[in-house]
Amino acid sequence: KWGPITPEGSEYLRERQRPAPPLAAQEVGEEAKLTREVLRPTNTAEGTVSLSDFARGLEGSLEVGAKLRQRINQLSDLEFEFLVARYVECCHGFEHVQVTRRSGDRGVDVVGDRPGKPFSRRIAVQAKKWSGSVSRPDIQAFRGAIQGEFPEGMFVTTGRFTSEAIEESKRPGAVPVDVVDGSRLVSELLAAGAGVSSSEVRLTVVTSVLTVD
């Protein structure tokens, strides 16, 4: 039966809307424990998603990343250079990108224009499919090759950079070199959706108010 709310009904609603009294310290700990135990799948616009669904989504992302990295490691040196050309285009916005494909390129494998204000800058990129670590002398040699011709460079590798190499890449007064290791390369390719597809798993956790006597 529909009709106006009585004074008793209004009082009842106010009582229901009052916040629960604070819990004692031991009760807070107990509530947290119970909250972890009562998480349930939640019906959302995207469907029913549980913690296990979310975990599988994370595992799937890690698996895709591992497979992409494995595939990159199987590329030839020339194929890797073309991949790096695609990487600087889709992940860094380079324009007019070219793979040098010539001997005597002094370590410059890819060149491209990075848009900027007031004008774009021509960037030299070295692509090295290495399993080991790039050291300080490698950065110094690359910088020496582009000094006076390019305002900055980028060094992309499937391996890693030593701490000394990273420090050298940022040395004040020298041509800056952006260093991209294998983990960053894969991560940014995945984020840009370059050559892979992804599905999103959303997690919504709803917990009910628990009353501890």
Side-chain angles (χ1 to χ4, degrees), residues 72-86:
I72 291 174
N73 288 333
Q74 294 171 347
L75 299 176
S76 68
D77 290 343
L78 182 57
E79 288 173 331
F80 182 64
E81 290 176 7
F82 276 96
L83 173 67
V84 170
R86 173 63 177 149

Side-chain angles (χ1 to χ4, degrees), residues 33-44 47-60 201-207:
K33 177 182 176 181
L34 291 172
T35 301
R36 288 193 298 270
E37 294 173 352
V38 300
L39 294 177
R40 292 288 184 269
T42 302
N43 291 323
T44 68
T48 300
V49 179
S50 67
L51 288 177
S52 59
D53 293 327
F54 183 64
R56 282 193 294 271
L58 292 179
E59 291 172 359
V201 176
R202 294 185 180 181
L203 175 66
T204 303
V205 177
V206 176
T207 58

Side-chain angles (χ1 to χ4, degrees), residues 65 68-73 75 79-92 125-130 154-161 178-194 196:
L68 178 57
R69 189 159 191 167
Q70 181 181 24
R71 181 67 186 92
I72 291 174
N73 288 333
L75 299 176
E79 288 173 331
F80 182 64
E81 290 176 7
F82 276 96
L83 173 67
V84 170
R86 173 63 177 149
Y87 163 73
V88 296
E89 281 182 331
C90 67
C91 298
H92 292 269
V125 184
Q126 186 169 71
K128 291 299 179 186
K129 197 169 71 67
W130 289 351
M154 178 181 289
F155 199 122
V156 183
T157 181
T158 51
R160 300 172 299 277
F161 292 92
D178 188 8
V179 291
V180 180
D181 62 12
S183 296
R184 178 182 168 188
L185 174 64
V186 169
S187 176
E188 293 185 349
L189 284 172
L190 286 175
V196 298

Side-chain angles (χ1 to χ4, degrees), residues 120-179:
S120 61
R121 291 164 294 171
R122 194 70 168 165
I123 308 299
V125 184
Q126 186 169 71
K128 291 299 179 186
K129 197 169 71 67
W130 289 351
S131 58
S133 297
V134 177
S135 62
R136 183 192 296 270
D138 298 316
I139 300 297
Q140 291 173 331
F142 175 54
R143 178 183 282 131
I146 66 175
Q147 187 84 34
E149 185 175 356
F150 297 91
E152 62 182 276
M154 178 181 289
F155 199 122
V156 183
T157 181
T158 51
R160 300 172 299 277
F161 292 92
T162 65
S163 57
E164 292 80 8
I166 296 174
E167 181 182 1
E168 177 64 29
S169 70
K170 304 174 182 178
R171 181 162 56 87
V175 174
V177 178
D178 188 8
V179 291

